Amino acid sequence: MDRDIWPGVTGMMVRADDWQVEWLEGGQDDIAALRAQTMADPGLAEVITLAEGAMPARQFGRWSLVYEGRAVGIEQIIARAAAGAAGGREGLLAMLSEFSPKPN
């Protein structure tokens, strides 16, 4: 996806096996439009929103593809969140936060 289509949206994406996880940040209207486009993708079997709402600051100021490839640990974390397992969503959000750039 060309990020220039959504200039007000930043975030990151993790792909592992058959899973794709995105952390999106931006204005409510921009995120709603991008979400509608994502939901219309016939290649996606299911879309789950783990959390939404205002944050004090963006975690990812630039769009970045942080990780793509086979990683059993990441796949297990994503699968637990998708299945609604206890602590699954919190675990996935914690993992994504680890990808967030840390201040020097």
Side-chain angles (χ1 to χ4, degrees):
M1 177 182 304
D2 183 356
R3 76 176 228 125
D4 293 334
I5 294 171
W6 304 102
V9 177
T10 59
M12 58 84 69
M13 179 173 60
V14 176
R15 299 183 83 154
D17 195 27
D18 293 332
W19 301 97
Q20 175 175 309
V21 177
E22 296 179 0
W23 177 304
L24 302 174
E25 304 170 321
Q28 187 174 6
D29 292 342
D30 290 330
I31 296 296
L34 183 52
R35 181 174 170 78
Q37 179 178 321
T38 301
M39 299 289 279
D41 183 341
L44 296 176
E46 185 175 11
V47 176
I48 300 168
T49 300
L50 298 177
E52 60 184 313
M55 297 180 67
R58 290 187 185 211
Q59 298 290 310
F60 300 92
R62 295 181 302 258
W63 188 269
S64 61
L65 180 60
V66 175
Y67 177 84
E68 182 170 14
R70 179 102 180 142
V72 174
I74 291 174
E75 291 167 19
Q76 290 172 343
I77 291 169
I78 296 170
R80 282 199 329 263
R89 292 177 179 214
E90 295 81 5
L92 179 55
L93 292 172
M95 181 199 75
L96 294 176
S97 294
E98 289 299 314
F99 288 116
S100 178
K102 307 295 183 263
N104 295 335

